[in-house]
């Protein structure tokens, strides 16, 4: 009898249908497609996904990363190199390790190909770019960030399936309130004990039947002030400071509106809507003659599309280069700035729930708009000559995004779906009006929403709406309850990016360091729930807190040195 049992076990090993643990397993499912299994399945390829996978691996679990992306790191390697740090002292764990590795990269002489290190201005966002005392660096080139994520993957032996897209229609299987497997469009099936949705869009969360929200909530829902429609609220400098006529023939409504202006009513101040803050690409530009590619003329380019910007220049606006934020090697992280800039306002409202095909169209539309914007400003006579001449010294960085025509591989999805769980982070928690239970990380950036719509005011002039910037006095905690669904909806899913949050609170949470922090915390909770064979909602917080602190996560504001 024993001899027969050993024979069967050996046969199962040979067929790949039996595992004693330690490595993810693979076999053929009934349809003949490949099936894979691990303790933890991470869906996504951005910074949160990689930190989650690294943490699960370091805690001794098998983990598979199922990534729609070919490149690792999301926005952190996709052009957002001028990090939105907020208060850097609350950035701990793997996130801080990432920025330490960036620091170590730039300690090498060969990292400074186009600029001497001493020539770099060392300007960061509220902090020096290079923090020698803490051995961290917060500002970096896209390729440097991607290399760190690839090193994370290699060192921790992460198995990553790239260019694998969730079958959102029928690819999520659940039993007894738990996800058992997910399937991608290629036919691959991934089974696991725990699942982490680390995507910017929240596709796995939505397909698993978890509640979520798209757009702005009314201020009355959570007792907030800066959610909902914000007509008349003008923050930052991303609005029209002078009266700009919106019509093709100035003063003539019958001539129709200029491109880039919506004919819709903006809505009532304070009321909710389904509209989403603007997206753009964080371009990496260079002004080094040997590392600069002239701005390309996009397909279907029409200079008339940018007449509104021409009128802004004619009004005397001169802030074109305000957000050419310097990163090493004479490059920039170039972001939106001004009333008409790289944000393609109002053209992404359907993105969060759109099909993959429609999303690709939206992304391409954003790319063409932004490339057309840069081409317009370097070629059109409506642009003041002095600014145009300076802009011509800039171009796309030749040594970045080399497999994508030097264009960022990741659009800036500032906000898409947001989970609605038993606990919702709101403006009141971020500004300190309400305490936060069971923290698993901290945020500190200002409440920051980009514009959501561009409309015609009752006085007949154009204006933007939705841009909010509210500074915070202190960092705030982010609750464990915000990264787990309602127990009745799913017991083995964690959501560290599309967290349970109101629109305006998400305006602060949505920063790359925070996503890394929450990715690590989500994986820690997933592993501990596996070990205890319980739902993520039933995990003892004090035990979770102990492990997070052991791994150097910051869960409360550090005390200032006396």
């Amino acid at each position: 009898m024993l001899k027969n049992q050993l024979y069967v076990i050996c046969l199962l090993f040979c067929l790949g249908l039996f595992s004693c643990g330690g490595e993810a397993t693979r076999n053929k499912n009934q349809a003949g497609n490949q099936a894979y299994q691990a303790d933890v399945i991470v869906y996504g390829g951005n910074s949160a996904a990689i930190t989650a996978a690294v943490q699960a691996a370091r805690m001794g679990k098998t983990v598979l990363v199922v990534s729609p992306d070919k490149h690792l790191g999301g926005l952190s390697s996709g052009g957002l190199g001028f990090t939105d740090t907020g208060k850097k002292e609350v950035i701990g764990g793997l996130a801080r390790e990432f920025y330490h590795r960036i620091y170590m990269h730039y300690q090498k002489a060969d990292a400074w190909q186009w600029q001497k290190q001493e020539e770099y201005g060392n300007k960061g966002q509220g902090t020096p770019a290079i923090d020698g005392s803490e051995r961290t660096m917060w500002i970096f080139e896209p390729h440097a960030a991607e290399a760190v994520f690839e090193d994370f993957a290699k060192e921790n032996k992460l198995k990553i399936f790239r260019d694998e897209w969730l079958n959102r229609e029928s690819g999520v299987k659940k039993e007894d309130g738990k996800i058992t497997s997910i399937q991608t469009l290629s036919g691959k099936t991934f089974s696991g004990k725990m699942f982490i949705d680390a995507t910017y869009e929240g596709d796995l969360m939505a397909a698993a039947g978890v509640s979520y929200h798209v757009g702005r909530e009314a201020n009355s829902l959570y007792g907030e002030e800066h959610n909902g429609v914000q007509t008349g609220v003008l923050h930052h400098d991303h609005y029209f400071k002078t009266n700009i006529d919106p019509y093709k023939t100035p003063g003539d409504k019958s001539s129709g509106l200029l491109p880039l202006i919506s004919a819709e009513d903006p809505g009532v101040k304070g009321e909710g809507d389904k509209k989403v803050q603007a997206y753009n690409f964080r371009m990496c530009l260079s002004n080094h003659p040997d590392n600069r590619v002239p701005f390309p003329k996009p397909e279907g380019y029409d200079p008339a599309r940018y007449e509104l910007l021409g009128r802004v220049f004619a009004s005397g606006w001169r802030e074109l280069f305000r957000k050419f934020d310097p990163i090493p090697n004479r490059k920039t992280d170039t972001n939106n700035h001004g009333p008409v800039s790289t944000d393609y306002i109002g053209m992404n409202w359907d993105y969060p729930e759109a099909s993959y095909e429609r999303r690709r169209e939206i992304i391409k539309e954003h790319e063409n708009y932004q490339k057309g914007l840069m081409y317009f400003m370097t070629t059109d006579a409506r642009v003041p000559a002095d600014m145009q001449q300076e802009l011509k010294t800039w171009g796309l960085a030749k040594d970045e995004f080399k497999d994508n025509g030097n264009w960022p591989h990741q659009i800036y999805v500032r906000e898409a779906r947001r989970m609605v769980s038993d606990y919702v982070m709101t403006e009141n928690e971020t500004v300190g009006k309400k305490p936060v239970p069971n923290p698993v990380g901290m945020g500190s950036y200002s409440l920051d929403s980009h514009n959501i719509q561009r409309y015609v005011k009752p006085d007949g002039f154009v204006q933007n709406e939705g841009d909010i910037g509210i500074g915070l006095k202190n960092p705030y905690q982010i609750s464990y309850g915000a990264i787990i669904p309602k127990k009745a909806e799913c017991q083995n899913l964690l959501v560290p990016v599309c967290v349970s949050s109101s629109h305006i609170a998400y305006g602060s949470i949505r920063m790359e360091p925070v996503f890394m922090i929450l990715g690590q915390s989500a994986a820690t909770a997933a592993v501990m729930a596996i070990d205890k064979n319980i739902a993520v909602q039933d995990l003892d917080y004090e035990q979770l807190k102990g492990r997070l602190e052991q791994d150097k996560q910051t869960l409360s504001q550090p005390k200032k040195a006396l």
Side-chain angles (χ1 to χ4, degrees), residues 506-537:
Y506 196 75
S508 173
I509 294 170
R510 64 176 183 84
M511 304 303 160
E512 289 290 301
V514 178
F515 288 156
M516 290 189 232
I517 291 167
L518 296 181
Q520 179 179 355
S521 294
T524 304
V527 170
M528 295 180 72
I530 289 173
D531 288 342
K532 295 180 179 299
N533 194 27
I534 58 175
V536 294
Q537 294 84 0

Side-chain angles (χ1 to χ4, degrees), residues 301-476:
Y301 171 73
D302 180 4
R305 193 180 189 194
Y306 304 97
E307 169 62 22
L308 184 61
L309 177 57
R311 294 183 187 183
V312 171
F313 281 126
S315 73
W317 187 76
R318 290 294 184 273
E319 299 175 19
L320 175 59
F321 300 101
R322 177 78 69 85
K323 289 302 292 178
F324 278 50
D325 291 316
I327 64 175
N329 284 307
R330 290 180 59 173
K331 299 178 190 175
T332 72
D333 167 358
T334 299
N335 196 11
N336 179 83
H337 180 76
V340 181
S341 185
T342 58
D343 280 358
Y344 199 19
I345 299 173
M347 303 301 175
N348 62 331
W349 295 345
D350 59 333
Y351 179 91
E353 302 204 73
S355 66
Y356 292 136
E357 181 180 11
R358 174 58 186 145
R359 283 183 187 168
R360 285 192 291 270
E361 292 175 351
I362 294 170
I363 292 169
K364 189 63 178 178
E365 289 164 4
H366 278 68
E367 178 183 336
N368 284 340
Y369 162 74
Q370 200 163 329
K371 284 181 175 178
L373 179 79
M374 303 309 291
Y375 188 79
F376 171 84
M377 290 192 295
T378 54
T379 61
D380 200 279
R382 284 168 286 185
V383 180
D386 58 333
M387 285 190 287
Q388 187 172 82
Q389 183 176 356
E390 182 177 351
L391 186 58
K392 285 181 178 180
T393 67
W394 291 92
L396 301 178
K398 187 184 297 185
D399 61 349
E400 300 289 352
F401 314 121
K402 291 188 286 188
D403 65 345
N404 197 42
N406 308 114
W407 193 255
H409 47 68
Q410 175 67 59
I411 192 171
Y412 195 171
V413 179
R414 290 188 169 94
E415 189 174 16
R417 299 182 180 96
R418 300 186 308 280
M419 181 167 61
V420 179
S421 190
D422 290 326
Y423 187 90
V424 180
M425 291 288 298
T426 73
E427 176 183 325
N428 298 307
E429 284 80 6
T430 64
V431 299
K433 290 182 178 180
K434 287 185 177 181
V436 175
N438 304 334
V440 292
M442 298 191 73
S444 61
Y445 201 78
S446 62
L447 301 178
D448 181 59
S449 172
H450 279 233
N451 279 306
I452 291 173
Q453 53 191 333
R454 180 178 288 131
Y455 68 103
V456 179
K457 298 182 296 178
D459 64 6
F461 296 106
V462 64
Q463 191 52 275
N464 296 334
E465 184 275 324
D467 188 276
I468 297 293
I470 306 294
L472 302 179
K473 293 182 179 179
N474 297 300
Y476 59 89

Side-chain angles (χ1 to χ4, degrees), residues 130-281:
I130 306 172
D131 188 339
S133 62
E134 295 290 331
R135 293 173 63 81
T136 51
M137 185 165 176
W138 308 96
I139 311 299
F140 45 83
E141 298 160 279
H143 76 267
E146 187 170 358
V148 171
F149 288 115
E150 291 289 354
D151 286 344
F152 270 144
K154 182 178 180 180
E155 293 166 15
N156 293 279
K157 298 180 172 60
L158 298 183
K159 179 65 175 177
I160 301 176
F161 296 81
R162 305 180 196 234
D163 200 21
E164 290 288 342
W165 299 79
L166 177 69
N167 179 343
R168 292 158 58 188
E169 299 298 322
S170 59
V172 178
K173 303 300 181 185
K174 293 176 68 177
E175 291 181 8
D176 300 324
K178 297 181 179 180
I179 301 172
T180 57
S181 68
I182 63 173
Q183 188 178 62
T184 57
L185 295 178
S186 70
K188 294 182 179 68
T189 299
F190 301 89
S191 301
K193 299 173 184 176
M194 287 286 160
F195 293 79
I196 297 174
D197 183 346
T199 62
Y200 293 121
E201 295 84 4
D203 284 341
L204 174 55
M205 169 190 74
V210 171
S211 299
Y212 62 87
H213 185 83
V214 175
R216 297 180 281 191
E217 299 90 349
N219 277 327
S220 58
L221 181 62
Y222 298 122
E224 298 175 299
E225 181 181 354
H226 297 100
N227 207 336
V229 176
Q230 296 291 308
T231 47
V233 178
L234 304 174
H235 291 175
H236 295 122
D237 291 305
H238 310 317
Y239 61 91
F240 294 86
K241 298 180 180 180
T242 57
N243 290 333
I244 302 294
D245 193 290
Y247 301 106
K248 294 178 181 177
T249 301
D252 182 4
K253 291 184 179 180
S254 65
S255 66
L257 291 170
L258 290 174
L260 311 180
I261 302 174
S262 172
E264 289 189 20
D265 184 275
V268 178
K269 185 177 180 181
E271 289 191 353
D273 58 23
K274 297 295 184 183
K275 299 170 184 175
V276 180
Q277 63 176 303
Y279 299 168
N280 71 341
F281 287 92

Side-chain angles (χ1 to χ4, degrees), residues 83-100 127 134 136 138 441-445 475 511-517 520 551-556 558:
T83 303
D84 302 310
T85 50
K87 302 293 184 181
K88 62 186 179 184
E89 61 266 24
V90 302
I91 300 173
L94 284 169
R96 182 163 283 265
E97 182 178 337
F98 169 82
Y99 295 108
H100 170 66
T127 182
E134 295 290 331
T136 51
W138 308 96
M442 298 191 73
S444 61
Y445 201 78
M511 304 303 160
E512 289 290 301
V514 178
F515 288 156
M516 290 189 232
I517 291 167
Q520 179 179 355
D551 291 333
K552 300 182 180 180
Q553 289 279 52
T554 303
L555 305 182
S556 60

